[in-house]
Amino acid sequence: MSFMSKVTTAAAVAAFAVAATPASAAVIYTVIGDTTGGPTFNRTTAGTPPTTTSSVGTAVAYNTFLFSPVASGSYTFLLNSTTANFDPFLALYTGVFNPATPLTNVLVANDDLTPGNFTQSGFAVLLNASTIYTAVITGFGNNDFGTYTLTIANTGAVPEPATWAMMIAGFGLVGFGLRRRAKPSVRVTYA
């Protein structure tokens, strides 16, 4: 392998390594908590967005998680109850949550992730970077409280234009290297 082929191959490998790295890596928030003994409020019903407050969860204990995504995109929220008989309920608010006005700034709320599953709540929603959001972790009814794990993850990282440019340059270097590669020579001799 000639020196030029080695340089071309090394450049192509470096370009592919950079292009293979996502421009915005996945962001995952994991929150572990306990609503037992927390403040209470009259939660909303499920909906996108909810339009009424609950007649069942009129004084449910809650916790909040305030965050601001670093990247815009689709985010999945998964709330898992880790206490027996705790039916979790999850709501997402734009800005700061005020328990005195639970319908103000609410984006989405959900009780059971799948019908009949009383240990999980969740949803997927589009979020904007640098916007403040509040996740409210609570229970379905007034006697639903306990420990939980909330996982928030972005699911759609899209490479930036610079990453695409590096990937195209890498393909070009590989093509150039293959084109410049010496053709095998065949010598035929007759006796």
Side-chain angles (χ1 to χ4, degrees):
M1 187 180 247
S2 72
F3 175 73
M4 189 59 187
S5 317
K6 289 178 184 177
V7 170
T8 305
T9 303
V13 169
F16 279 125
V18 170
T21 305
S24 54
V27 176
I28 300 175
Y29 301 98
T30 302
V31 183
I32 299 171
D34 189 347
T35 60
T36 305
T40 62
F41 81 117
N42 187 357
R43 70 163 176 80
T44 68
T45 56
T48 310
T51 55
T52 59
T53 55
S54 174
S55 60
V56 176
T58 56
V60 290
Y62 70 92
N63 286 127
T64 60
F65 175 64
L66 192 71
F67 68 101
S68 181
V70 295
S72 296
S74 178
Y75 284 75
T76 57
F77 289 70
L78 178 60
L79 175 60
N80 285 300
S81 165
T82 53
T83 297
N85 300 320
F86 171 34
D87 184 2
F89 188 92
L90 181 63
L92 181 66
Y93 290 79
T94 302
V96 180
F97 164 70
N98 181 352
T101 57
L103 293 173
T104 303
N105 298 327
V106 64
L107 296 174
V108 60
N110 190 24
D111 176 26
D112 301 325
L113 186 60
T114 56
N117 182 346
F118 301 118
T119 61
Q120 290 184 327
S121 178
F123 43 77
V125 66
L126 292 174
L127 300 181
N128 295 317
S130 304
T131 301
I132 295 173
Y133 295 95
T134 304
V136 177
I137 301 97
T138 189
F140 178 76
N142 294 342
N143 293 322
D144 285 315
F145 50 83
T147 57
Y148 63 86
T149 301
L150 171 63
T151 305
I152 305 169
N154 73 334
T155 55
V158 177
E160 294 174 356
T163 302
W164 283 109
M166 288 299 292
M167 187 168 52
I168 291 169
F171 283 129
L173 286 172
V174 168
F176 177 75
L178 290 173
R179 188 163 191 256
R180 300 265 307 155
R181 184 172 288 169
K183 307 275 189 285
S185 61
V186 176
R187 186 171 13 163
V188 179
T189 57
Y190 296 99

